[in-house]
Amino acid sequence: MSYVTLQFLIFVSVLLIIYYICPRKYRWITLLLGNLYFFFSISEKLILYSIGATFITYLMAILMKKKEKYEKKFMILGIVLVLGFLVVLKYNNFISSLLNPLIGNFGLKIPYAKFIMPAGISYYTLEMIAYIVDVHRKRTEPERNFFKLLTFFTYFPKLIEGPFSRYTSMKEKMFSEKKFDYEKFKCAWVLIGYGFIKKLIIADRLGIFVNNIFKENVTGFPLVIGIIAYTLQLYCDFSGCIDIVSGVSELFGIQLPCNFRRPFFSQSIQEFWRRWHITLGEWLKDYVFYPISLSKMNMKLNQNVRKIKSKYIVNFIIIAFPLLFVWLANGIWHGPSLKYVAYGLYYYILMMLGVLLKPLFDKIVKLLRINTEVWSFRLFKIVRTIVIVCFGMLLFRSNDLKQFFELTKGIFENGIGKSIAEFGLTMKDFNVCFIYLLVIFGVELAQEFGIDVRSKLNEQNLVFRWLVYLLIIFSIVIFGIYGSGYDASSFIYGGF
Amino acid sequence: MREEIIEILKQIKPGVDYEKQTDLIGDGILESFDLVTLISLLNNKFDIYITVADLVPENFESVTTIEELVNRLK
């Protein structure tokens, strides 16, 4: 069952009715049953993996509290077990392909196997690790009710594409006996509609064009347009899905964490990664970056490098080591392939170069008397960031590193003589994309200036509000891509 | 100790009136890299060991809360 099917809308509607009919104290149970039904509809008996992993997480947390003497051992055991599921199911063949050439010399071999992964495993595994570590750090008490923990980890709106959530912050929202809020309920539908516009009108439309561009290995101008189109497709697909699931969750009175904050307004790649897939970045910061940075080994390294006179070199060395792990983890999380490792390293190298070259850039700015506070310079930084991101997306979209290098070369070659309207989309399709991208841009620009667009809409008179609602509905119905040749249910990030 | 902590903060990010700040992380004055540098300098200066478990926003809101953390760990 995908988020953009009629089946899903019926499921949500039925669950909503049951949820609000149920006494407030027991509403979370209807959520649990809904979650399990949704999970089973996608993964069938693989749901047992997830229930098993939840039980291990639950048990380890309880044991960490009961047997404090062995607390760290139970924490490590819990992490190894739940991560083990993920590593075996998702990365077995990748690890085999890397290690077998080496261990083959000793007569050893890791067998290749084809595993089907349960839905959402890349997401809830990291959430389980976060929960176990938060119990260890005393950020939360272990949950005594296994079924409440299961409700959280299998929560259907965030199951397939996130956002990553923390039990510490979600449990109050999920299990409190909150009253029905009609105003928030109304606003939630606007967010769902907005998500559908991004997904069905823009992302799926651009997807047709992008697939043809990359299938035909074009060069020159059409390829450049293809790269930009893919970047927009990925953004609208992923953030559109997040809007839909966040809106659905709000219907139940549960606010999910924010996962995108207008990333294309970023002025640096550091800022970009604080605005794009925010919850993954936060997870990596809290559970990879900080533990490695603050480890005794890294602190000792910090002590030794302080003797170096240059502040920039010191800063570089201090963060280079932990950040390497962060970006490797970021890359690997996306998929069992060297191209994803390269994707992570691409950003790592750029960030480290930025730190190392900062004194030089500062000197250039001073020498040329560049005013860095004016809007034109900020615009330059935004465009520069977008170019860097788009190039990274070329790597992300390429089938492998070989195709990436071929296509990189292809950017600078002449086009193959075809116009962009010969890759599956007509000029009318491009116009539709352009108009709705302008709408998205307008909404995000308003938000960038601190305007809560949904609240502002809610304040308007009935006629205007309903005009907007009907525009959203008719836009989706008329311009949504529903024909053959694509699969609207294949959210890109659901593949991870 | 308070003056020493302010001195360390000024090394990391000069030009801020740390006496008046009450939400160093929430207001975006200290980011993740700054926090790591701060902790490293605090560990060296006061011969303490600040762990990840201590890395909660409440401990690094202001000079006062940082001072309280250092005193707890000494």
mmCIF file with all atom_site columns, all heavy atoms in Angstrom, chain A residues 168-183:
data_model
loop_
_atom_site.group_PDB
_atom_site.id
_atom_site.type_symbol
_atom_site.label_atom_id
_atom_site.label_alt_id
_atom_site.label_comp_id
_atom_site.label_asym_id
_atom_site.label_entity_id
_atom_site.label_seq_id
_atom_site.pdbx_PDB_ins_code
_atom_site.Cartn_x
_atom_site.Cartn_y
_atom_site.Cartn_z
_atom_site.occupancy
_atom_site.B_iso_or_equiv
_atom_site.pdbx_formal_charge
_atom_site.auth_seq_id
_atom_site.auth_comp_id
_atom_site.auth_asym_id
_atom_site.auth_atom_id
_atom_site.pdbx_PDB_model_num
ATOM 1   N N   . THR A 1 168 ? 11.982  9.670  22.819 1.00 0.00 ? 168 THR A N   1
ATOM 2   C CA  . THR A 1 168 ? 11.952  10.661 23.913 1.00 0.00 ? 168 THR A CA  1
ATOM 3   C C   . THR A 1 168 ? 10.992  11.806 23.607 1.00 0.00 ? 168 THR A C   1
ATOM 4   O O   . THR A 1 168 ? 10.272  12.273 24.484 1.00 0.00 ? 168 THR A O   1
ATOM 5   C CB  . THR A 1 168 ? 13.352  11.265 24.142 1.00 0.00 ? 168 THR A CB  1
ATOM 6   O OG1 . THR A 1 168 ? 14.010  11.384 22.868 1.00 0.00 ? 168 THR A OG1 1
ATOM 7   C CG2 . THR A 1 168 ? 14.214  10.398 25.011 1.00 0.00 ? 168 THR A CG2 1
ATOM 8   N N   . SER A 1 169 ? 10.975  12.268 22.355 1.00 0.00 ? 169 SER A N   1
ATOM 9   C CA  . SER A 1 169 ? 10.114  13.415 22.053 1.00 0.00 ? 169 SER A CA  1
ATOM 10  C C   . SER A 1 169 ? 8.753   13.011 21.504 1.00 0.00 ? 169 SER A C   1
ATOM 11  O O   . SER A 1 169 ? 7.807   13.795 21.546 1.00 0.00 ? 169 SER A O   1
ATOM 12  C CB  . SER A 1 169 ? 10.810  14.375 21.083 1.00 0.00 ? 169 SER A CB  1
ATOM 13  O OG  . SER A 1 169 ? 11.410  13.661 20.055 1.00 0.00 ? 169 SER A OG  1
ATOM 14  N N   . MET A 1 170 ? 8.621   11.798 21.004 1.00 0.00 ? 170 MET A N   1
ATOM 15  C CA  . MET A 1 170 ? 7.354   11.389 20.389 1.00 0.00 ? 170 MET A CA  1
ATOM 16  C C   . MET A 1 170 ? 6.372   10.763 21.366 1.00 0.00 ? 170 MET A C   1
ATOM 17  O O   . MET A 1 170 ? 5.163   10.782 21.122 1.00 0.00 ? 170 MET A O   1
ATOM 18  C CB  . MET A 1 170 ? 7.617   10.377 19.258 1.00 0.00 ? 170 MET A CB  1
ATOM 19  C CG  . MET A 1 170 ? 8.188   11.001 18.001 1.00 0.00 ? 170 MET A CG  1
ATOM 20  S SD  . MET A 1 170 ? 7.007   12.053 17.146 1.00 0.00 ? 170 MET A SD  1
ATOM 21  C CE  . MET A 1 170 ? 5.894   10.822 16.480 1.00 0.00 ? 170 MET A CE  1
ATOM 22  N N   . LYS A 1 171 ? 6.867   10.197 22.482 1.00 0.00 ? 171 LYS A N   1
ATOM 23  C CA  . LYS A 1 171 ? 5.962   9.397  23.324 1.00 0.00 ? 171 LYS A CA  1
ATOM 24  C C   . LYS A 1 171 ? 4.837   10.242 23.907 1.00 0.00 ? 171 LYS A C   1
ATOM 25  O O   . LYS A 1 171 ? 3.689   9.804  23.995 1.00 0.00 ? 171 LYS A O   1
ATOM 26  C CB  . LYS A 1 171 ? 6.723   8.647  24.422 1.00 0.00 ? 171 LYS A CB  1
ATOM 27  C CG  . LYS A 1 171 ? 7.463   9.490  25.412 1.00 0.00 ? 171 LYS A CG  1
ATOM 28  C CD  . LYS A 1 171 ? 8.175   8.599  26.420 1.00 0.00 ? 171 LYS A CD  1
ATOM 29  C CE  . LYS A 1 171 ? 9.023   9.444  27.346 1.00 0.00 ? 171 LYS A CE  1
ATOM 30  N NZ  . LYS A 1 171 ? 9.753   8.634  28.326 1.00 0.00 ? 171 LYS A NZ  1
ATOM 31  N N   . GLU A 1 172 ? 5.169   11.486 24.284 1.00 0.00 ? 172 GLU A N   1
ATOM 32  C CA  . GLU A 1 172 ? 4.143   12.365 24.849 1.00 0.00 ? 172 GLU A CA  1
ATOM 33  C C   . GLU A 1 172 ? 3.060   12.643 23.798 1.00 0.00 ? 172 GLU A C   1
ATOM 34  O O   . GLU A 1 172 ? 1.863   12.545 24.066 1.00 0.00 ? 172 GLU A O   1
ATOM 35  C CB  . GLU A 1 172 ? 4.819   13.655 25.326 1.00 0.00 ? 172 GLU A CB  1
ATOM 36  C CG  . GLU A 1 172 ? 3.894   14.809 25.618 1.00 0.00 ? 172 GLU A CG  1
ATOM 37  C CD  . GLU A 1 172 ? 2.941   14.556 26.751 1.00 0.00 ? 172 GLU A CD  1
ATOM 38  O OE1 . GLU A 1 172 ? 3.272   13.792 27.685 1.00 0.00 ? 172 GLU A OE1 1
ATOM 39  O OE2 . GLU A 1 172 ? 1.814   15.088 26.711 1.00 0.00 ? 172 GLU A OE2 1
ATOM 40  N N   . LYS A 1 173 ? 3.505   12.940 22.567 1.00 0.00 ? 173 LYS A N   1
ATOM 41  C CA  . LYS A 1 173 ? 2.552   13.279 21.498 1.00 0.00 ? 173 LYS A CA  1
ATOM 42  C C   . LYS A 1 173 ? 1.698   12.074 21.138 1.00 0.00 ? 173 LYS A C   1
ATOM 43  O O   . LYS A 1 173 ? 0.526   12.182 20.805 1.00 0.00 ? 173 LYS A O   1
ATOM 44  C CB  . LYS A 1 173 ? 3.305   13.734 20.243 1.00 0.00 ? 173 LYS A CB  1
ATOM 45  C CG  . LYS A 1 173 ? 4.125   14.985 20.428 1.00 0.00 ? 173 LYS A CG  1
ATOM 46  C CD  . LYS A 1 173 ? 4.975   15.266 19.201 1.00 0.00 ? 173 LYS A CD  1
ATOM 47  C CE  . LYS A 1 173 ? 6.115   16.192 19.545 1.00 0.00 ? 173 LYS A CE  1
ATOM 48  N NZ  . LYS A 1 173 ? 6.980   16.488 18.404 1.00 0.00 ? 173 LYS A NZ  1
ATOM 49  N N   . MET A 1 174 ? 2.329   10.882 21.180 1.00 0.00 ? 174 MET A N   1
ATOM 50  C CA  . MET A 1 174 ? 1.646   9.681  20.691 1.00 0.00 ? 174 MET A CA  1
ATOM 51  C C   . MET A 1 174 ? 0.659   9.117  21.706 1.00 0.00 ? 174 MET A C   1
ATOM 52  O O   . MET A 1 174 ? -0.381  8.596  21.340 1.00 0.00 ? 174 MET A O   1
ATOM 53  C CB  . MET A 1 174 ? 2.698   8.620  20.394 1.00 0.00 ? 174 MET A CB  1
ATOM 54  C CG  . MET A 1 174 ? 2.368   7.744  19.235 1.00 0.00 ? 174 MET A CG  1
ATOM 55  S SD  . MET A 1 174 ? 3.785   6.797  18.737 1.00 0.00 ? 174 MET A SD  1
ATOM 56  C CE  . MET A 1 174 ? 3.902   7.289  17.074 1.00 0.00 ? 174 MET A CE  1
ATOM 57  N N   . PHE A 1 175 ? 1.004   9.206  22.996 1.00 0.00 ? 175 PHE A N   1
ATOM 58  C CA  . PHE A 1 175 ? 0.220   8.489  24.001 1.00 0.00 ? 175 PHE A CA  1
ATOM 59  C C   . PHE A 1 175 ? -0.571  9.394  24.940 1.00 0.00 ? 175 PHE A C   1
ATOM 60  O O   . PHE A 1 175 ? -1.270  8.904  25.831 1.00 0.00 ? 175 PHE A O   1
ATOM 61  C CB  . PHE A 1 175 ? 1.130   7.549  24.799 1.00 0.00 ? 175 PHE A CB  1
ATOM 62  C CG  . PHE A 1 175 ? 1.900   6.593  23.922 1.00 0.00 ? 175 PHE A CG  1
ATOM 63  C CD1 . PHE A 1 175 ? 3.285   6.635  23.873 1.00 0.00 ? 175 PHE A CD1 1
ATOM 64  C CD2 . PHE A 1 175 ? 1.242   5.686  23.108 1.00 0.00 ? 175 PHE A CD2 1
ATOM 65  C CE1 . PHE A 1 175 ? 4.006   5.777  23.045 1.00 0.00 ? 175 PHE A CE1 1
ATOM 66  C CE2 . PHE A 1 175 ? 1.945   4.827  22.272 1.00 0.00 ? 175 PHE A CE2 1
ATOM 67  C CZ  . PHE A 1 175 ? 3.335   4.874  22.244 1.00 0.00 ? 175 PHE A CZ  1
ATOM 68  N N   . SER A 1 176 ? -0.473  10.700 24.757 1.00 0.00 ? 176 SER A N   1
ATOM 69  C CA  . SER A 1 176 ? -1.234  11.582 25.653 1.00 0.00 ? 176 SER A CA  1
ATOM 70  C C   . SER A 1 176 ? -2.695  11.587 25.222 1.00 0.00 ? 176 SER A C   1
ATOM 71  O O   . SER A 1 176 ? -3.025  11.327 24.065 1.00 0.00 ? 176 SER A O   1
ATOM 72  C CB  . SER A 1 176 ? -0.668  12.998 25.596 1.00 0.00 ? 176 SER A CB  1
ATOM 73  O OG  . SER A 1 176 ? -0.844  13.519 24.301 1.00 0.00 ? 176 SER A OG  1
ATOM 74  N N   . GLU A 1 177 ? -3.549  11.907 26.172 1.00 0.00 ? 177 GLU A N   1
ATOM 75  C CA  . GLU A 1 177 ? -5.001  11.873 25.899 1.00 0.00 ? 177 GLU A CA  1
ATOM 76  C C   . GLU A 1 177 ? -5.444  13.255 25.443 1.00 0.00 ? 177 GLU A C   1
ATOM 77  O O   . GLU A 1 177 ? -6.113  13.988 26.163 1.00 0.00 ? 177 GLU A O   1
ATOM 78  C CB  . GLU A 1 177 ? -5.726  11.429 27.168 1.00 0.00 ? 177 GLU A CB  1
ATOM 79  C CG  . GLU A 1 177 ? -5.353  9.991  27.553 1.00 0.00 ? 177 GLU A CG  1
ATOM 80  C CD  . GLU A 1 177 ? -5.906  9.577  28.906 1.00 0.00 ? 177 GLU A CD  1
ATOM 81  O OE1 . GLU A 1 177 ? -6.944  10.121 29.329 1.00 0.00 ? 177 GLU A OE1 1
ATOM 82  O OE2 . GLU A 1 177 ? -5.293  8.718  29.553 1.00 0.00 ? 177 GLU A OE2 1
ATOM 83  N N   . LYS A 1 178 ? -5.025  13.582 24.204 1.00 0.00 ? 178 LYS A N   1
ATOM 84  C CA  . LYS A 1 178 ? -5.275  14.933 23.720 1.00 0.00 ? 178 LYS A CA  1
ATOM 85  C C   . LYS A 1 178 ? -6.677  15.076 23.124 1.00 0.00 ? 178 LYS A C   1
ATOM 86  O O   . LYS A 1 178 ? -7.259  14.127 22.625 1.00 0.00 ? 178 LYS A O   1
ATOM 87  C CB  . LYS A 1 178 ? -4.229  15.347 22.683 1.00 0.00 ? 178 LYS A CB  1
ATOM 88  C CG  . LYS A 1 178 ? -3.977  14.282 21.652 1.00 0.00 ? 178 LYS A CG  1
ATOM 89  C CD  . LYS A 1 178 ? -2.702  14.531 20.889 1.00 0.00 ? 178 LYS A CD  1
ATOM 90  C CE  . LYS A 1 178 ? -2.381  13.337 19.988 1.00 0.00 ? 178 LYS A CE  1
ATOM 91  N NZ  . LYS A 1 178 ? -2.145  12.085 20.693 1.00 0.00 ? 178 LYS A NZ  1
ATOM 92  N N   . LYS A 1 179 ? -7.143  16.339 23.174 1.00 0.00 ? 179 LYS A N   1
ATOM 93  C CA  . LYS A 1 179 ? -8.476  16.612 22.616 1.00 0.00 ? 179 LYS A CA  1
ATOM 94  C C   . LYS A 1 179 ? -8.353  16.782 21.116 1.00 0.00 ? 179 LYS A C   1
ATOM 95  O O   . LYS A 1 179 ? -7.309  17.178 20.592 1.00 0.00 ? 179 LYS A O   1
ATOM 96  C CB  . LYS A 1 179 ? -9.003  17.935 23.180 1.00 0.00 ? 179 LYS A CB  1
ATOM 97  C CG  . LYS A 1 179 ? -9.598  17.831 24.545 1.00 0.00 ? 179 LYS A CG  1
ATOM 98  C CD  . LYS A 1 179 ? -10.252 19.177 24.913 1.00 0.00 ? 179 LYS A CD  1
ATOM 99  C CE  . LYS A 1 179 ? -10.512 19.217 26.391 1.00 0.00 ? 179 LYS A CE  1
ATOM 100 N NZ  . LYS A 1 179 ? -10.824 20.548 26.851 1.00 0.00 ? 179 LYS A NZ  1
ATOM 101 N N   . PHE A 1 180 ? -9.455  16.564 20.431 1.00 0.00 ? 180 PHE A N   1
ATOM 102 C CA  . PHE A 1 180 ? -9.509  16.790 18.994 1.00 0.00 ? 180 PHE A CA  1
ATOM 103 C C   . PHE A 1 180 ? -9.427  18.289 18.720 1.00 0.00 ? 180 PHE A C   1
ATOM 104 O O   . PHE A 1 180 ? -10.146 19.082 19.309 1.00 0.00 ? 180 PHE A O   1
ATOM 105 C CB  . PHE A 1 180 ? -10.824 16.221 18.442 1.00 0.00 ? 180 PHE A CB  1
ATOM 106 C CG  . PHE A 1 180 ? -11.027 16.500 16.988 1.00 0.00 ? 180 PHE A CG  1
ATOM 107 C CD1 . PHE A 1 180 ? -10.242 15.862 16.032 1.00 0.00 ? 180 PHE A CD1 1
ATOM 108 C CD2 . PHE A 1 180 ? -11.994 17.397 16.551 1.00 0.00 ? 180 PHE A CD2 1
ATOM 109 C CE1 . PHE A 1 180 ? -10.420 16.111 14.677 1.00 0.00 ? 180 PHE A CE1 1
ATOM 110 C CE2 . PHE A 1 180 ? -12.184 17.654 15.199 1.00 0.00 ? 180 PHE A CE2 1
ATOM 111 C CZ  . PHE A 1 180 ? -11.391 17.012 14.261 1.00 0.00 ? 180 PHE A CZ  1
ATOM 112 N N   . ASP A 1 181 ? -8.492  18.652 17.809 1.00 0.00 ? 181 ASP A N   1
ATOM 113 C CA  . ASP A 1 181 ? -8.290  20.063 17.461 1.00 0.00 ? 181 ASP A CA  1
ATOM 114 C C   . ASP A 1 181 ? -8.731  20.260 16.011 1.00 0.00 ? 181 ASP A C   1
ATOM 115 O O   . ASP A 1 181 ? -8.018  19.894 15.077 1.00 0.00 ? 181 ASP A O   1
ATOM 116 C CB  . ASP A 1 181 ? -6.808  20.423 17.647 1.00 0.00 ? 181 ASP A CB  1
ATOM 117 C CG  . ASP A 1 181 ? -6.541  21.908 17.474 1.00 0.00 ? 181 ASP A CG  1
ATOM 118 O OD1 . ASP A 1 181 ? -7.232  22.561 16.663 1.00 0.00 ? 181 ASP A OD1 1
ATOM 119 O OD2 . ASP A 1 181 ? -5.640  22.422 18.145 1.00 0.00 ? 181 ASP A OD2 1
ATOM 120 N N   . TYR A 1 182 ? -9.898  20.872 15.837 1.00 0.00 ? 182 TYR A N   1
ATOM 121 C CA  . TYR A 1 182 ? -10.472 20.999 14.497 1.00 0.00 ? 182 TYR A CA  1
ATOM 122 C C   . TYR A 1 182 ? -9.613  21.874 13.586 1.00 0.00 ? 182 TYR A C   1
ATOM 123 O O   . TYR A 1 182 ? -9.464  21.584 12.402 1.00 0.00 ? 182 TYR A O   1
ATOM 124 C CB  . TYR A 1 182 ? -11.902 21.545 14.589 1.00 0.00 ? 182 TYR A CB  1
ATOM 125 C CG  . TYR A 1 182 ? -12.536 21.781 13.238 1.00 0.00 ? 182 TYR A CG  1
ATOM 126 C CD1 . TYR A 1 182 ? -12.755 20.713 12.360 1.00 0.00 ? 182 TYR A CD1 1
ATOM 127 C CD2 . TYR A 1 182 ? -12.901 23.063 12.820 1.00 0.00 ? 182 TYR A CD2 1
ATOM 128 C CE1 . TYR A 1 182 ? -13.314 20.916 11.111 1.00 0.00 ? 182 TYR A CE1 1
ATOM 129 C CE2 . TYR A 1 182 ? -13.457 23.266 11.575 1.00 0.00 ? 182 TYR A CE2 1
ATOM 130 C CZ  . TYR A 1 182 ? -13.660 22.193 10.715 1.00 0.00 ? 182 TYR A CZ  1
ATOM 131 O OH  . TYR A 1 182 ? -14.206 22.413 9.481  1.00 0.00 ? 182 TYR A OH  1
ATOM 132 N N   . GLU A 1 183 ? -9.055  22.956 14.143 1.00 0.00 ? 183 GLU A N   1
ATOM 133 C CA  . GLU A 1 183 ? -8.252  23.869 13.323 1.00 0.00 ? 183 GLU A CA  1
ATOM 134 C C   . GLU A 1 183 ? -7.023  23.156 12.770 1.00 0.00 ? 183 GLU A C   1
ATOM 135 O O   . GLU A 1 183 ? -6.680  23.278 11.591 1.00 0.00 ? 183 GLU A O   1
ATOM 136 C CB  . GLU A 1 183 ? -7.818  25.100 14.146 1.00 0.00 ? 183 GLU A CB  1
ATOM 137 C CG  . GLU A 1 183 ? -8.977  25.984 14.561 1.00 0.00 ? 183 GLU A CG  1
ATOM 138 C CD  . GLU A 1 183 ? -9.803  26.472 13.382 1.00 0.00 ? 183 GLU A CD  1
ATOM 139 O OE1 . GLU A 1 183 ? -9.220  26.944 12.380 1.00 0.00 ? 183 GLU A OE1 1
ATOM 140 O OE2 . GLU A 1 183 ? -11.043 26.363 13.449 1.00 0.00 ? 183 GLU A OE2 1
#
